[in-house]
Amino acid sequence: MTLRSLSLMFRTPGAVSGLVGVAGLAALVTSCKTRDFSDSPGGSSSGINEAFDTKAARGRGTVNYVAPNGTKEICILPKHFPGVKYPKDDGEDEAKLCSLNFHKAPGSADAGEAVALCPKLSSTFPGVEPYELDGNSKGDYETKLCKSDDRPTKRLAKFKQSVSCSFTGSILGYYHLSRILGTAGNVPVAVIRTMDVAAHKKIADRGVAFSTPGELNNTLWKQVQAMDASPRERKNYFLPDLTAVFGALSDNPSGEERYTEINRNSADGAVAKANFLNTAAARRLFESSGVGTFVKRDFASAAPVLQQMKDIADLMVMDYVFQQQDRFGNIHAQDVYAWMDSSGEVETKKIKRDSAGKITTAKPDPSAVVMKRMLLKDNDCGSRPGNPKAFTESDLKALRHFSARTYKRLQFLANSFRTGDATKFFDEETLLATHDALGQEAGLSGFKTRVLNAADVLKTQCKSGKLLLDLSIEDHVASKNLPDIVKTRCDEVHAFEDDPVNKDGGTTGVTKIPGKAIAKSDTFLKASTASASSLADDKKCAFKQGLAIGYSSKRVEGGHFKLTVDIPPSVCNAAFLSGDVYAYGDHFNFIEPRECTVESSTANVRADASTSAAILTSLAKGAKFSVDGFKNGWFQTTSGGQVAWVSASTTEEPCKSFK
């Protein structure tokens, strides 16, 4: 039977289903809202505590394939968590994964990329690995070249189901949690994929034949082979109609290496965790003194150490939330060039090496240094509460250093769970509410509980002064991560899709002064004469990149900020601005000074925001003063225990131009 062609099916409210070629994937990724596989039999109405519900609305686009025997297969382009900006490459990688055509013959006119499918023979847990054909015959590759674990072409992805310790929901869940926490752990992109049972059984047959008898990998391939040969309603493995298996298709990173400084052997039980926590790299996280006492302030010295500390602390939180069972001895890293750009932001570029290990990537900046960046690529053994390898609340309480960026994003996720939005997202996009290999609901309720616990534990420790949010390379090099400044971050919550220019994140949570909003790109404001619930208004106003448009107050709803309007009449009609004005955080940078430096030879500190007000004292050039507010070109501060004011015109940038 000849292979039927691939199609992309999309549905939007009031629209008729249509077909789009693979070339249209990029557009589909940003525009389509779909229901997946809705015409197949079976499925339940909720998806909670049930099998993979084929009628549930999920994803923003679905790629449809048809196997040679007529079985439908799908690959779901996932939605991204509301209020979080995923890296640009993620959408491209998701589309690339969904363009892999498991059945296409080389040279065929069918859409998608033809690949060879090999059984995973390394390590233990079974999986299907798509490889580039690179001129090879698909049949010859799969029956001959797949026999060796040393295959001649590039491995493109891994397709895993809930078998043994492996759990589909864990693979998908780690991807989205990583992005919510600011790309913590650099977890590879993952999408939901299904595969015809008969085709999957061929891979299982080869897995049994090609693996070593008596080893766990061989034993588990036999288990998969038996399930494929006699399909039965296993809620963790088959679609309800038993025609296909479902699982997670994840990207295959390249250029990684074992993270030798912390990647200790995978000893049994608590011993493995103890070995990890006893590494010199991990022990730094439990030092009570500020990082300034043991990390130098220059970039070359600070960047590798602080990045490593941040990566380890992020790992501990993520693995606690998922109760990861298979981490130790399984941690990777990539070498990157790191440098600070002219604005003081850290930039990185992945390093490539030749076969002899020599760096072949040119230095992107003369000041660039080589540092490791963690890569958590094996995340399938999560949602295993109670195992002795998992991190506990006590482990989190012992932390003394953490990233402010990760912290506020974790608080943001916890708040989203309290409102219910996160529960719906993780149910639909990660399958955490499906069943694990034991046939039990494995992940969503426990995942939610541990997110809330982790957020509460870290906030309590922060407010007590035991946890310092000082793992910022930028702040450390600029000498900004002193405890009295860091403690002000304990109530902050990530509330928009990109971090503000000021890494302190002062535009959210408890806001002392308004933040100036700067348009990052051609975008729009939404205007409303009612409350925050009316933010869906479709009134728009275009802005050019770099235009200063106003001042933000506290976040209101859906990642929006209410603005005090200060927009030139040439930009927006006055009638349009008659009501409250809101801006979505992704479109703007927000600058909020917390400390200013005197640029003039002297700066008078006055009793009021006026040149006619009494002079309380004077500040010399280079002196710094704390900022408590802003009014009419003057910064509010404190002098001798009373409210005082310093003119912005006497200060250095960015304070000088703050309006």
Side-chain angles (χ1 to χ4, degrees):
M1 184 178 292
T2 59
L3 178 68
R4 302 182 188 181
S5 62
L6 165 152
S7 69
L8 300 179
M9 177 168 286
F10 62 94
R11 293 180 182 174
T12 54
V16 179
S17 297
L19 300 180
V20 182
V22 169
L25 267 172
L28 179 69
V29 165
T30 60
S31 65
C32 287
K33 195 174 183 180
T34 70
R35 290 177 60 82
D36 66 332
F37 213 44
S38 59
D39 56 348
S40 78
S44 68
S45 59
S46 71
I48 300 291
N49 297 328
E50 295 292 342
F52 178 17
D53 181 1
T54 56
K55 291 189 175 183
R58 57 170 57 90
R60 67 185 189 279
T62 301
V63 182
N64 294 311
Y65 293 91
V66 182
N69 64 1
T71 297
K72 288 186 176 182
E73 295 180 350
I74 59 172
C75 184
I76 299 175
L77 297 161
K79 294 176 185 175
H80 292 171
F81 195 85
V84 175
K85 185 175 182 179
Y86 289 43
K88 178 182 177 182
D89 291 347
D90 283 354
E92 297 171 359
D93 291 341
E94 291 163 0
K96 176 66 175 177
L97 287 172
C98 282
S99 72
L100 300 181
N101 189 330
F102 290 172
H103 311 291
K104 179 179 177 178
S108 165
D110 293 318
E113 180 179 354
V115 293
L117 300 181
C118 294
K120 180 177 178 289
L121 302 178
S122 60
S123 187
T124 53
F125 304 123
V128 179
E129 298 178 327
Y131 280 82
E132 286 183 343
L133 284 169
D134 197 21
N136 292 284
S137 158
K138 179 176 174 67
D140 285 347
Y141 200 117
E142 293 178 347
T143 57
K144 298 175 183 178
L145 298 179
C146 285
K147 288 183 178 180
S148 169
D149 202 28
D150 184 19
R151 293 149 187 168
T153 62
K154 181 181 179 181
R155 182 174 61 187
L156 300 173
K158 293 184 291 186
F159 179 47
K160 287 188 172 183
Q161 290 73 49
S162 297
V163 177
S164 185
C165 181
S166 183
F167 177 41
T168 297
S170 180
I171 300 171
L172 297 165
Y174 262 99
Y175 166 45
H176 291 284
L177 179 63
S178 167
R179 299 320 187 254
I180 293 167
L181 298 184
T183 325
N186 293 293
V187 174
V189 167
V191 298
I192 298 171
R193 183 68 156 89
T194 70
M195 184 178 184
D196 168 50
V197 173
H200 194 266
K201 183 181 180 300
K202 290 182 180 179
I203 309 300
D205 291 343
R206 291 174 187 143
V208 173
F210 298 164
S211 57
T212 303
E215 292 189 354
L216 181 57
N217 179 261
N218 178 265
T219 300
L220 293 177
W221 270 121
K222 288 181 179 178
Q223 177 183 333
V224 172
Q225 183 186 49
M227 291 192 301
D228 286 344
S230 302
R232 58 192 184 281
E233 191 172 354
R234 284 180 57 105
K235 294 181 178 180
N236 64 299
Y237 189 76
F238 293 109
L239 293 186
D241 65 358
L242 307 181
T243 61
V245 300
F246 72 88
L249 182 65
S250 58
D251 193 22
N252 182 63
S254 60
E256 79 278 7
E257 60 185 17
R258 295 280 180 175
Y259 204 150
T260 53
E261 290 88 343
I262 55 176
N263 195 44
R264 296 295 176 89
N265 62 58
S266 52
D268 289 336
V271 175
K273 185 173 75 172
N275 288 344
F276 171 84
L277 294 175
N278 197 41
T279 60
R283 287 201 303 270
R284 293 192 187 103
L285 288 169
F286 309 108
E287 295 283 344
S288 296
S289 57
V291 293
T293 63
F294 57 88
V295 181
K296 294 181 179 179
R297 296 283 179 182
D298 64 286
F299 181 81
S301 300
V305 175
L306 293 179
Q307 183 65 44
Q308 185 179 69
M309 293 177 69
K310 177 185 181 300
D311 283 343
I312 296 172
D314 288 352
L315 175 151
M316 288 179 64
V317 168
M318 295 174 73
D319 281 1
Y320 162 73
V321 167
F322 276 103
Q323 294 290 281
Q324 178 61 236
Q325 183 172 316
D326 193 32
R327 178 65 68 209
F328 308 116
N330 197 22
I331 305 171
H332 296 79
Q334 294 174 321
D335 284 339
V336 298
Y337 276 124
W339 70 99
M340 294 189 81
D341 63 20
S342 58
S343 66
E345 301 293 313
V346 175
E347 301 284 348
T348 60
K349 183 177 182 179
K350 185 180 173 182
I351 287 174
K352 294 183 179 180
R353 300 179 184 271
D354 60 22
S355 57
K358 182 179 179 181
I359 294 177
T360 58
T361 306
K363 263 193 174 187
D365 185 272
S367 64
V369 298
V370 178
M371 73 177 187
K372 290 183 184 295
R373 185 174 58 191
M374 187 176 286
L375 173 66
L376 301 180
K377 68 173 190 173
D378 290 303
N379 307 297
D380 56 334
C381 206
S383 292
R384 295 291 177 268
N387 82 82
K389 291 184 180 181
F391 292 109
T392 64
E393 285 188 28
S394 296
D395 294 321
L396 299 188
K397 288 179 179 178
L399 287 170
R400 294 295 175 261
H401 305 281
F402 204 69
S403 159
R405 187 184 190 208
T406 306
Y407 175 90
K408 67 179 182 178
R409 286 168 174 257
L410 178 64
Q411 301 299 332
F412 164 68
L413 177 58
N415 285 351
S416 296
F417 267 120
R418 293 184 183 105
T419 63
D421 295 341
T423 303
K424 181 176 184 294
F425 176 87
F426 278 94
D427 172 31
E428 293 178 352
E429 303 302 324
T430 72
L431 304 185
L432 272 170
T434 58
H435 293 70
D436 67 3
L438 301 177
Q440 300 172 336
E441 193 273 311
L444 188 54
S445 59
F447 175 82
K448 174 182 177 179
T449 297
R450 289 186 293 273
V451 166
L452 296 174
N453 286 348
D456 289 345
V457 165
L458 295 184
K459 179 176 280 191
T460 298
Q461 296 297 91
C462 182
K463 285 180 172 291
S464 72
K466 293 179 181 179
L467 180 70
L468 301 180
L469 304 181
D470 55 0
L471 298 185
S472 164
I473 298 171
E474 293 94 339
D475 285 357
H476 182 79
V477 173
S479 301
K480 290 182 179 179
N481 60 335
L482 301 175
D484 59 334
I485 295 176
V486 174
K487 285 179 184 178
T488 65
R489 300 174 174 176
C490 295
D491 287 316
E492 289 176 355
V493 177
H494 167 83
F496 44 87
E497 288 192 356
D498 205 354
D499 284 341
V501 171
N502 184 339
K503 287 294 183 179
D504 285 346
T507 60
T508 60
V510 180
T511 305
K512 291 185 178 179
I513 63 173
K516 185 177 181 181
I518 309 294
K520 294 198 294 187
S521 60
D522 288 342
T523 182
F524 62 87
L525 246 60
K526 293 184 177 181
S528 169
T529 56
S531 63
S533 63
S534 298
L535 291 176
D537 248 343
D538 60 357
K539 299 177 182 178
K540 297 181 180 180
C541 184
F543 294 96
K544 294 291 182 72
Q545 183 175 0
L547 179 69
I549 60 168
Y551 313 108
S552 71
S553 64
K554 291 184 181 180
R555 180 176 71 95
V556 282
E557 182 175 283
H560 289 76
F561 288 86
K562 182 178 178 181
L563 299 182
T564 300
V565 180
D566 182 27
I567 303 171
S570 59
V571 176
C572 285
N573 185 291
F576 174 84
L577 302 172
S578 60
D580 293 336
V581 180
Y582 297 89
Y584 192 63
D586 175 54
H587 301 309
F588 304 93
N589 282 328
F590 294 85
I591 304 174
E592 179 190 352
R594 289 178 178 274
E595 182 181 81
C596 292
T597 303
V598 175
E599 183 183 61
S600 303
S601 57
T602 59
N604 291 325
V605 181
R606 297 181 180 271
D608 202 353
S610 169
T611 54
S612 61
I615 298 174
L616 303 178
T617 186
S618 296
L619 298 174
K621 183 176 182 178
K624 298 180 184 299
F625 62 94
S626 62
V627 173
D628 301 319
F630 183 83
K631 181 174 72 173
N632 299 329
W634 292 76
F635 287 110
Q636 180 184 328
T637 186
T638 303
S639 177
Q642 72 177 82
V643 174
W645 299 85
V646 179
S647 173
S649 65
T650 66
T651 62
E652 293 181 352
E653 298 289 2
C655 294
K656 188 171 186 176
S657 60
F658 191 85
K659 296 180 180 180

